[in-house]
Amino acid sequence: IMQIKINNKDVCTEASNMLELAQELNLPERGIAMALGTNMVSRDVWSTTELQEGDSVIVIKAACGG
């Protein structure tokens, strides 16, 4: 278990990569983007993008409207 920040909130996680984090957070398969630090991470590399203690993840949910 490690501590990371998700959208600037401290969170403890057992996830070792971004795909496991998305599954742990029960994120939908569509309409979600994630960044590690200031870099957007393509969904196709979530499973190989490892997380480390203290990392900062931003989760962005697509929304309709204006």
Side-chain angles (χ1 to χ4, degrees):
I1 296 178
M2 68 177 129
Q3 187 164 335
I4 62 172
K5 287 190 179 285
I6 300 176
N7 294 353
N8 294 318
K9 294 183 182 177
D10 291 324
V11 176
C12 289
T13 181
E14 293 183 17
S16 63
N17 60 52
M18 299 210 34
L19 179 61
E20 290 177 5
L21 181 64
Q23 293 168 341
E24 190 177 285
L25 296 173
N26 295 315
L27 297 178
E29 290 189 27
R30 297 185 184 267
I32 294 291
M34 289 202 293
L36 181 57
T38 59
N39 299 313
M40 293 301 295
V41 179
S42 292
R43 183 180 295 271
D44 59 341
V45 295
W46 284 3
S47 63
T48 58
T49 304
E50 294 187 10
L51 296 171
Q52 297 182 13
E53 182 79 26
D55 275 347
S56 178
V57 176
I58 303 295
V59 177
I60 302 163
K61 297 180 182 179
C64 295

